[in-house]
Amino acid sequence: MLSEMISAADAGFQNIWSLQSCIDTLYEFGSEEQRQKYIPRVCAGEGMSMDLTEPDAGSDLQRVMLKATFDEKENCWRLNGVKRFITNGDSDIHLVLARSEEGTKDGRGLSMFIYDKRQGGVNVRHIEHKLGIHGSPTCELTYKNAKAELCGSTRLGLIKYVMALMNGARLGIAAQSVGVEQEAYNEGLAYAKERQQFGDKIINFPAVYDMLSRMKAKLDAGRSLLYETACYVDVYKCLEDIERDRKLTPEEKQELKKYQRLADAFTPLAKGMNSEYANQNAYDAISIHGGSGFIMEYKSQRLFRDARIFSIYEGTTQLQVVAAIRYITNGTMLNNIKEMVAGLEVSDSLKNLKTRVEKLIPVYEEALANVKALENQDAQDFLARRLYDMTAELVMSLLIIRDASKAPELFEKSANVYVRMTEEDVIGKSSYIKVFRVEDLESFKAAEPEAEE
């Protein structure tokens, strides 16, 4: 919630303050000595960064080649190489993904290291000139025999520690996105109430209040998904903390596994959907402002520029689909949706909305079966985004109906609008999937004409 509020003021500052959850990763996987050494410094105000990306390793982190070698004489690790697009790359404490196992070329040869700026050996070679998020520097770094400490065990850098780190960062971006969604809606609403055209305030024009109602529905549903995901994360992290002090009971172990799975399934939905909604709300805020939205003096342009990175960094929306799709195709999310419906108690005024969402579930189930029946990986990958959107929208519809039942004065309008949007999308996407054939893929492959010899 704090992260969301800070992002509404300045998404760039939120990057410095809480985006990446580096301290959580250090707490979970560092030694007790490392926790005592570094965590008080972060609490006192020092910054952290996660140094993952390289010029030839962006989304495909298995290709990271920054070299880590053990210095027997100094009893420490030494890092050499280049990191690129590092958010807060001038920070005090860095978590660095590096190749510790000579001769390896995949993720199993990567480990995580802690680099302390006080030790020297790293230079900021370049600060990127970016479209937005100007309050947070994005840097290219050169490591020259930089002294570092191993965090955790070797070979687990990517497959365990970075995955945990990225999940924390993705939740941070979901919160960052909700903050910008809120501020974009606030700006659009305030301007629409003041601006007059054709003798009337533009908020009274159907084209404008349609836009505003959709912005508000996306905001409220997206926030519900963010908080639901954060709740799952809180439960399993709490149980992991308890496990540090004593053995978990069999019931607690089951609960830990359940909420870990839920967090893993929901985090890519929360990050992907909210980052897209932030972009859409920021875009619509400019549209409501008209020509004024294009002028630098108005806040809408900054929100628009800042939002664009949300669906790119810490895993593009396309990678969120990849992270979520196994939970969709194996039926986990379908079962979650059915369980949510079964346990959803609604007020009389919202029973109709619940019924309408229930009618969409067989439509979604059929679309899921149709995609699996294609038995073609390329076709399934091509259609995955549609399944992802349908899944998230059904989940958010149920969450916003639940919220509206508890606080109709806050959420009933948004629930009505969001369910209509979900119907529009689920029915449309299921129709697309129903008539799709594997041979249709050829129509979508970009092909440039061959050059004449």
Side-chain angles (χ1 to χ4, degrees):
M1 292 178 184
L2 282 171
S3 188
E4 178 194 322
M5 286 190 280
I6 285 171
S7 299
D10 189 324
F13 180 61
Q14 191 264 3
N15 263 8
I16 295 171
W17 179 75
S18 78
L19 177 78
Q20 295 168 318
S21 254
C22 293
I23 193 169
D24 297 330
T25 303
L26 200 155
Y27 172 73
E28 286 179 48
F29 304 116
S31 66
E32 183 57 33
E33 182 184 348
Q34 287 168 339
R35 287 196 286 270
Q36 294 295 329
K37 181 178 178 182
Y38 293 112
I39 289 177
R41 287 173 56 183
V42 178
C43 293
E46 292 192 24
M48 291 189 75
S49 66
M50 55 184 199
D51 302 5
L52 309 180
T53 310
E54 296 180 7
D56 295 318
S59 297
D60 186 6
L61 288 174
Q62 291 193 94
R63 296 184 65 187
V64 160
M65 293 306 294
L66 187 111
K67 192 173 182 182
T69 51
F70 191 72
D71 184 337
E72 299 280 355
K73 186 178 177 183
E74 296 287 331
N75 193 34
C76 70
W77 289 84
R78 299 282 180 180
L79 304 179
N80 287 279
V82 177
K83 289 290 183 183
R84 191 181 182 204
F85 293 150
I86 305 305
T87 302
N88 306 328
D90 62 341
S91 66
D92 303 285
I93 303 161
H94 301 234
L95 295 179
V96 188
L97 185 65
R99 190 162 297 279
S100 59
E101 312 307 307
E102 199 169 346
T104 61
K105 292 184 178 179
D106 62 10
R108 289 170 291 186
L110 298 171
S111 303
M112 182 167 282
F113 298 88
I114 304 168
Y115 163 73
D116 184 347
K117 188 177 181 179
R118 295 174 182 176
Q119 298 288 341
V122 177
N123 291 320
V124 176
R125 187 160 75 180
H126 176 66
I127 296 177
E128 303 293 346
H129 300 288
K130 301 176 295 185
L131 179 67
I133 310 287
H134 290 164
S136 164
T138 301
C139 307
E140 185 170 308
L141 307 175
T142 54
Y143 281 77
K144 294 179 181 177
N145 225 28
K147 189 176 179 181
E149 302 173 34
L150 179 68
C151 181
S153 305
T154 56
R155 295 178 172 266
L156 296 178
L158 178 61
I159 60 178
K160 185 174 182 181
Y161 308 143
V162 168
M163 288 301 103
L165 180 59
M166 290 287 276
N167 273 342
R170 285 168 179 173
L171 199 61
I173 293 165
Q176 186 180 50
S177 299
V178 170
V180 170
E181 288 165 48
Q182 177 74 65
E183 194 62 13
Y185 171 71
N186 290 349
E187 289 294 304
L189 180 64
Y191 189 84
K193 284 179 175 178
E194 292 175 4
R195 177 70 169 166
Q196 286 200 6
Q197 290 288 279
F198 308 105
D200 198 2
K201 290 181 178 177
I202 65 171
I203 197 169
N204 295 321
F205 299 166
V208 174
Y209 62 68
D210 176 40
M211 229 185 307
L212 283 165
S213 68
R214 285 171 174 261
M215 291 168 75
K216 183 65 159 57
K218 289 171 188 174
L219 164 65
D220 288 338
R223 181 180 279 126
S224 289
L225 179 59
L226 167 66
Y227 291 177
E228 190 74 6
T229 307
C231 176
Y232 297 150
V233 172
D234 275 349
V235 172
Y236 94 77
K237 296 270 190 192
C238 179
L239 287 163
E240 282 185 340
D241 262 2
I242 292 169
E243 199 173 22
R244 289 171 182 265
D245 299 322
R246 64 163 173 83
K247 269 187 149 185
L248 295 180
T249 65
E251 293 79 11
E252 287 171 332
K253 281 185 180 178
Q254 284 299 109
E255 193 177 17
L256 173 60
K257 286 180 182 177
K258 173 189 172 183
Y259 283 99
Q260 269 183 323
R261 281 195 300 269
L262 283 166
D264 283 346
F266 274 67
T267 296
L269 297 180
K271 194 273 186 185
M273 295 303 291
N274 276 301
S275 64
E276 294 291 336
Y277 283 171
N279 275 276
Q280 292 163 21
N281 277 15
Y283 180 98
D284 285 346
I286 286 180
S287 296
I288 291 166
H289 280 71
S292 297
F294 202 63
I295 305 300
M296 295 299 282
E297 281 83 357
Y298 284 82
K299 190 190 292 185
S300 295
Q301 54 76 27
R302 176 171 64 80
L303 298 173
F304 183 68
R305 288 185 293 102
D306 286 351
R308 190 61 194 91
I309 194 63
F310 301 166
S311 56
I312 298 172
Y313 62 6
E314 315 309 345
T316 62
T317 301
Q318 290 73 25
L319 282 178
Q320 303 314 304
V321 174
V322 171
I325 198 65
R326 65 191 174 103
Y327 293 104
I328 295 170
T329 54
N330 69 13
T332 298
M333 288 307 301
L334 177 61
N335 290 334
N336 283 342
I337 289 166
K338 288 180 176 178
E339 285 176 15
M340 288 172 74
V341 168
L344 183 61
E345 294 182 8
V346 299
S347 57
D348 289 342
S349 63
L350 292 166
K351 282 180 179 174
N352 176 49
L353 286 187
K354 181 184 176 184
T355 301
R356 284 161 63 178
V357 174
E358 284 177 309
K359 286 179 180 176
L360 293 175
I361 295 172
V363 178
Y364 166 71
E365 197 167 358
E366 183 185 5
L368 188 55
N370 286 337
V371 172
K372 291 166 77 171
L374 292 170
E375 295 183 344
N376 179 285
Q377 193 58 54
D378 283 352
Q380 289 172 353
D381 291 346
F382 181 82
L383 296 169
R385 174 65 183 272
R386 292 166 178 85
L387 290 177
Y388 169 93
D389 287 346
M390 294 162 73
T391 304
E393 286 157 0
L394 286 169
V395 168
M396 284 190 279
S397 289
L398 294 169
L399 290 174
I400 195 66
I401 291 170
R402 180 196 67 185
D403 291 350
S405 293
K406 294 178 179 178
E409 72 284 1
L410 294 176
F411 302 117
E412 191 164 334
K413 283 186 177 180
S414 285
N416 272 286
V417 174
Y418 198 83
V419 169
R420 283 179 169 85
M421 289 167 56
T422 300
E423 286 172 329
E424 184 180 20
D425 217 33
V426 169
I427 292 167
K429 286 187 164 77
S430 64
S431 298
Y432 185 98
I433 289 168
K434 194 170 188 176
V435 298
F436 190 87
R437 299 292 177 267
V438 173
E439 51 269 27
D440 295 340
L441 285 173
E442 291 303 318
S443 304
F444 295 95
K445 290 180 180 176
E448 294 182 4
E450 293 183 8
E452 292 181 12
E453 291 185 2

